[in-house]
Every structure is written in C-alpha cells, then in structure tokens.
Amino acid sequence: MKSARLNGRHRFIISSFFFIMFLCVLASINEVRFDSFLKFGQCALANVPSHNSSLENNIVASNSSSSSDEIRILIGILTLPDQYQRRHFLRLIYGTQSPLGAKVDVKFVFCNLTKEDQKVLVALEIMRYDDIIILNCKENMNKGKTYTYFSSLPEMLNDTDSPYPPYHYVMKTDDDTYFRLNSLVESLRPLPREDLYYGYVIPCRSMDPFVHYMSGMGYMISWDIVEWIRESDIPKNHLEGPEDKVFGDWIREGHRAKNRYNAKWSMYNFPEPPTTCTHELWPDTIGVHLLKTQEKWIRTLKYFNVTDNLKPSKLYHIP
C-alpha cells in the first residue's frame, strides 16, 4: 500500500512539473505574439491622427478664429486740452466697462497745445494713461478738426507688426455723450466691416440713413473709409461748416458707405428738455447725448446701474 501511494505522489509531482513547464512555454509564445501584434498595430496607426491631437488642433484653430473675429474699435472723443476734469471723469466711465469679444480703445483727441501748463499736465496724462491723440492743427470745431482726426489715423496707426486693419471701425464722438460699450459692440456684430457709416440719422424725425447724415453725437465708419478720407480730394476741398453735416457731404459726393446703419432710437439726446431728438432713458440704449451737467450724467449712470458690480469690502460703506 505504501509503495502504491509513493508511486502516485511521484506521478502527480512529475505531471505537475510538466504542466507548469507547458504553461511557461505557452506564456512565452503568447508574449512574442503580443509584442509583434503591438508593433504591427503601431506601424499601421502611425499615419492616422489621434483623437487627442485632433482635438488640440481644433482648440488652437478655435482660439485663433475667435481672436480674428474680435471687433477692434477706436473711439475718438474730440475735446479740448484744458478739459482735465472731464477726461478723468470719462476715464472712470469707460475704464469700468469690459465689452466681450472686442478691443475698444477710447482716446481723447485735440489740437496742438498752446500753454505751458498744458505741456506739463497733458504730458503727465499721456505718461499715466496713454490715451491722448494730439493733432497737428489749431483748435476748432467746424473748420477741419474732424478731417484732421480721420486723415491722420492711417499714418499714425498702420504698422507692419500689427494686424490690418488696426481698427475695423473708427468713431468720432463728443465729451458729452455716454456710450454703453457692450451694447455698441453687439450692434456691430452683424454689420459689414467695409464701407460702413453708422450713427444717429439727422434730421431727428428721419429714419432713412441714405437721405441725410449722422449726428455729431457719435458716428462711426469702417477703416476703408478712414483711408479714403486721407487719400481723396473731396474732404480736403470741403472743410468748413457743421462738422457732422460736412462729413455727410463727403460721403455723398464720394459715393461711399453703401452700408449704413441707423442706431436710432438706441442713440438719442437726453430726455430733458424734450425735443424731436430726445427719448426717455430705456434698456435698449447704446448712447445718450447732451449730458451737459453732472446731474444729467448721474441720472443716466444711475438708470443703467453702472455700480452694480461694486464688490463688498470692509474698507468702505456705500448705502
């Protein structure tokens, strides 16, 4: 009996040994086959773009596309060198607005400095804010200042290292006009970026932008018209007169601005005193004109809740 049990154990041990050896050999063969298959798969897929790299390319393309779609706007506020307080006030107004999907530069525009204090104070403003354009002209309202503004821009701004055009749209406005930049940008999104004339149509009762001209409260043109103003003899030969009407004459005589946009009644004069050009303050507003007093500015700013984003702090208490 003992001999038979020993023989059975020997057979079991030998069988187990050979079985383990078989498994090891089989595993080695499969490993070789798997490596070969893996190498073959890598070869076969070498020229196929991976999903991840395709996604990365799409993100890059999307980002570059969004930056190329960014609207670039220059707002030139025609003012006077001595209007220091008004400029500081307007810096608050526009510096606290952040329009989405747009680059909006607000610049203060006036003619040559004539006083010693201006040369110091305006220079300090430029050093601090870099938001002033000084034109080579004698200060005036209706004797060519607007022409000098528009015609000087191509030489000032065309830079081979910057995108072209430097701005899609250029505006001329006054320092008694308030623009809501987000609303302005949104109104421009569907509009052409060439041969465009945008603003508030005059006379006040008119809604047809092809009959007369846009009010000097704030009108905007595309960059190609800015370049045309610099190159054409039509504006050069017709400088004097109400600047907004004269500008409309240039456009008509030069057969420019086949694309026109009347922003009435999103642009209007302050409601008091009431005239055919005024409108009540309302949410669908782009610009309000004739803010000649601090009280009118404050009423307008309060209506549009411009301080809603003020963050709470222990440093101040504003009821």
Side-chain angles (χ1 to χ4, degrees):
M1 287 290 293
K2 287 182 179 180
S3 176
R5 286 179 181 175
L6 287 172
N7 288 336
R9 285 177 181 175
H10 289 159
R11 282 196 298 272
F12 177 75
I13 291 171
I14 292 170
S15 298
S16 298
F17 174 76
F18 279 111
F19 181 69
I20 291 170
M21 291 292 294
F22 172 75
L23 291 177
C24 289
V25 170
L26 184 63
S28 299
I29 293 172
N30 285 340
E31 185 177 355
V32 171
R33 287 178 176 174
F34 178 76
D35 286 344
S36 301
F37 178 75
L38 187 59
K39 289 177 183 177
F40 173 76
Q42 288 173 342
C43 253
L45 296 174
N47 294 322
V48 178
S50 72
H51 179 72
N52 286 340
S53 68
S54 175
L55 180 61
E56 289 169 4
N57 289 339
N58 285 339
I59 291 172
V60 171
S62 173
N63 287 341
S64 58
S65 171
S66 64
S67 70
S68 66
D69 287 342
E70 181 183 67
I71 300 175
R72 298 187 294 276
I73 304 168
L74 172 63
I75 297 178
I77 301 175
L78 271 62
T79 184
L80 300 172
D82 288 333
Q83 294 285 351
Y84 303 107
Q85 293 302 321
R86 177 54 60 91
R87 287 196 290 279
H88 291 320
F89 177 70
L90 290 175
R91 287 184 182 112
L92 292 177
I93 300 303
Y94 293 114
T96 51
Q97 299 187 57
S98 302
L100 300 175
K103 176 181 183 287
V104 181
D105 290 337
V106 178
K107 304 283 188 183
F108 299 99
V109 182
F110 41 81
C111 293
N112 289 321
L113 307 181
T114 57
K115 303 175 185 175
E116 289 304 311
D117 63 329
Q118 292 174 354
K119 295 174 185 177
V120 174
L121 296 175
V122 172
L124 286 171
E125 283 186 88
I126 294 171
M127 292 167 64
R128 175 62 182 87
Y129 301 107
D130 192 24
D131 61 357
I132 288 176
I133 296 174
I134 301 178
L135 304 173
N136 186 20
C137 57
K138 184 177 180 180
E139 200 58 62
N140 69 91
M141 179 184 294
N142 294 318
K143 294 186 177 181
K145 182 176 180 179
T146 297
Y147 169 76
T148 306
Y149 165 55
F150 283 112
S151 64
S152 300
L153 292 177
E155 184 177 352
M156 289 179 176
L157 301 175
N158 275 338
D159 188 339
T160 54
D161 296 331
S162 301
Y164 180 84
Y167 295 98
H168 298 110
Y169 307 108
V170 176
M171 173 179 280
K172 174 268 160 188
T173 187
D174 297 332
D175 60 10
D176 63 347
T177 303
Y178 167 60
F179 278 99
R180 303 174 71 211
L181 298 184
N182 258 326
S183 299
L184 176 66
V185 168
E186 290 306 311
S187 72
L188 288 169
R189 288 198 191 282
L191 302 183
R193 294 185 180 179
E194 292 184 351
D195 212 17
L196 179 74
Y197 185 27
Y198 173 113
Y200 174 102
V201 174
I202 294 294
C204 296
R205 289 188 176 88
S206 173
M207 295 298 286
D208 185 352
F210 288 90
V211 174
H212 295 284
Y213 58 94
M214 305 296 186
S215 164
M217 72 168 74
Y219 54 85
M220 183 181 299
I221 54 175
S222 51
W223 184 254
D224 57 306
I225 297 182
V226 174
E227 292 183 322
W228 172 79
I229 290 172
R230 177 177 177 79
E231 296 164 1
S232 173
D233 288 332
I234 292 173
K236 293 175 188 174
N237 296 327
H238 182 15
L239 296 178
E240 296 193 12
E243 62 88 17
D244 48 4
K245 182 179 183 301
V246 168
F247 190 94
D249 292 341
W250 301 343
I251 295 296
R252 185 181 63 257
E253 293 171 24
H255 305 289
R256 299 287 134 177
K258 68 177 183 292
N259 303 307
R260 302 191 186 188
Y261 183 82
N262 176 20
K264 193 184 292 181
W265 289 99
S266 291
M267 290 173 63
Y268 49 88
N269 285 348
F270 188 81
E272 297 171 7
T275 68
T276 55
C277 295
T278 61
H279 192 285
E280 290 301 313
L281 298 173
W282 67 314
D284 190 22
T285 293
I286 293 173
V288 184
H289 183 224
L290 291 183
L291 301 177
K292 298 290 188 182
T293 66
Q294 187 83 344
E295 186 266 338
K296 289 181 178 181
W297 272 103
I298 297 304
R299 280 180 57 186
T300 302
L301 297 174
K302 285 183 69 175
Y303 177 85
F304 294 111
N305 300 313
V306 299
T307 60
D308 269 3
N309 292 328
L310 179 68
K311 296 179 180 179
S313 172
K314 295 179 181 179
L315 299 177
Y316 48 76
H317 173 68
I318 300 179

